[in-house]
Amino acid sequence: MAHIQHHSMRRVLRREIAGTIGLLTDEQDFTAMRRYRTFSFADHASYLQQVEALLRTLASQGGHTTVALFDPEEYAEFCAEHGLEPDAPTSRTRFTAELASTGATLPYEGQPLAELVPNLVDEAVRQATWEYATTLLSRIGNCASCGEDIGRAAFIRASDLLVRILESTGPGERHLVCSVSTSPETLLAVLHADDDEEGTPQLDEAEALEFTTVMAVGIATQSAGGLVMRTSTPGRTDRVFGWRLRGEGLEPLTAGEVFDAYCTDIESGDLVSPESGVDYCVPPDLGDGPTTAHTH
């Protein structure tokens, strides 16, 4: 009887344990891991099927599982840094535990892996973009003429601009994209905002932080960049408008420029067919707001 009680208690405790699974999302990463003898999976498709089956089983038992993006190069670096044997399951377990707190992760909530994988990759790109943008801002240093921290001032300026954008473009659901041309590649950030019952814009804090940081990089480095926004309100035609980054402020785009920006594929530069029932227009006036006429 005591044995049965202990077994039942352990089952209850098992539901209290949160777990993390490191996922190899693409064929290339999977192939890189196959060089390890202890990594016994033969092909990527069956590997994904087994992972999905395990996730469903854990969920059915009442467990909470987080899925982390497993990068073989980062894993090899982790093993070298900590003196671990990379061809060992215990090393992969330690690395996955590290990913739970530092890497790109998503909770498993019963969604199919075909949906979870692209979302996990997007999360990794978002995290890498924010980390890179933050590093750029921190390395700019102080203004030679006044001693002001350029990165911090740019972030404050970007935050003010974002607030004024949201205040001037409501009500409704908003979708913003900010792009800044940096070397070696363009930084992109996306932000969604929707009004609550009182008309106050509701933002995801992580998205807002990433968006503001990318905009701040454009301001601080005087890089080419811009914002495009789409607003959706029930019973009205969707509107699309935008601004280009100009110095430490935003300059309105014409309707034609917005059309070109919105209907061009960012990756390839190819034209994308415009949507019907969408109004490409000039943005609302943001007001004068505070000015920071520094030339860093």
Side-chain angles (χ1 to χ4, degrees):
M1 186 69 176
H3 173 73
I4 294 175
Q5 288 179 335
H6 290 160
H7 182 69
S8 298
M9 290 174 65
R10 282 195 294 268
R11 290 183 62 183
V12 171
L13 284 173
R14 198 173 294 124
R15 298 193 194 107
E16 304 290 327
I17 299 174
T20 303
I21 292 179
L23 182 64
L24 297 159
T25 58
D26 61 45
E27 189 81 40
Q28 183 177 350
D29 287 346
F30 178 84
T31 301
M33 291 302 294
R34 289 204 64 204
R35 70 178 182 267
Y36 300 123
R37 180 185 54 81
T38 57
F39 186 80
S40 56
F41 294 96
D43 66 89
H44 192 230
S46 63
Y47 161 79
L48 292 177
Q49 290 172 358
Q50 292 299 320
V51 170
E52 187 162 21
L54 176 60
L55 288 169
R56 287 198 298 265
T57 299
L58 293 172
S60 69
Q61 296 172 348
H64 174 80
T65 307
T66 297
V67 181
L69 186 70
F70 194 107
D71 185 295
E73 291 186 8
E74 291 181 2
Y75 171 64
E77 293 171 0
F78 177 84
C79 290
E81 181 181 347
H82 292 83
L84 300 175
E85 167 54 56
D87 196 358
T90 53
S91 299
R92 292 194 288 275
T93 300
R94 280 191 57 179
F95 178 65
T96 301
E98 181 83 5
L99 291 177
S101 59
T102 63
T105 62
L106 286 178
Y108 177 71
E109 299 173 329
Q111 68 272 49
L113 218 56
E115 175 185 324
L116 188 148
V117 167
N119 289 339
L120 183 59
V121 172
D122 287 346
E123 178 64 24
V125 171
R126 280 180 50 194
Q127 182 171 313
T129 298
W130 178 75
E131 290 175 352
Y132 178 65
T134 301
T135 301
L136 282 180
L137 285 180
S138 65
R139 290 179 176 174
I140 293 174
N142 297 333
C143 174
S145 59
C146 72
E148 183 178 35
D149 185 315
I150 298 173
R152 182 175 180 276
F155 187 88
I156 293 173
R157 177 62 172 163
S159 300
D160 171 68
L161 289 171
L162 178 57
V163 168
R164 287 197 278 137
I165 288 171
L166 294 174
E167 288 178 346
S168 65
T169 55
E173 182 179 336
R174 305 136 168 114
H175 177 86
L176 296 91
V177 178
C178 178
S179 64
V180 174
S181 297
T182 61
S183 179
E185 59 187 26
T186 298
L187 296 179
L188 287 174
V190 177
L191 179 63
H192 301 85
D194 201 359
D195 295 331
D196 60 16
E197 295 179 354
E198 298 178 353
T200 303
Q202 299 300 299
L203 306 173
D204 179 275
E205 290 186 6
E207 275 192 359
L209 178 60
E210 293 155 10
F211 192 91
T212 306
T213 303
V214 168
M215 199 193 321
V217 168
I219 293 172
T221 61
Q222 303 286 292
S223 299
L227 284 76
V228 175
M229 184 176 199
R230 178 170 181 155
T231 64
S232 301
T233 306
R236 292 183 56 183
T237 301
D238 282 11
R239 296 182 302 142
V240 178
F241 45 82
W243 302 263
R244 67 170 53 85
L245 283 172
R246 181 73 73 185
E248 297 181 359
L250 295 173
E251 179 181 280
L253 296 174
T254 66
E257 288 171 328
V258 173
F259 180 89
D260 290 341
Y262 205 75
C263 298
T264 301
D265 185 272
I266 295 175
E267 298 294 333
S268 66
D270 297 334
L271 291 178
V272 179
S273 298
E275 297 181 57
S276 60
V278 175
D279 184 15
Y280 300 91
C281 54
V282 295
D285 183 12
L286 298 181
D288 293 332
T291 59
T292 51
H294 264 73
T295 302
H296 299 299

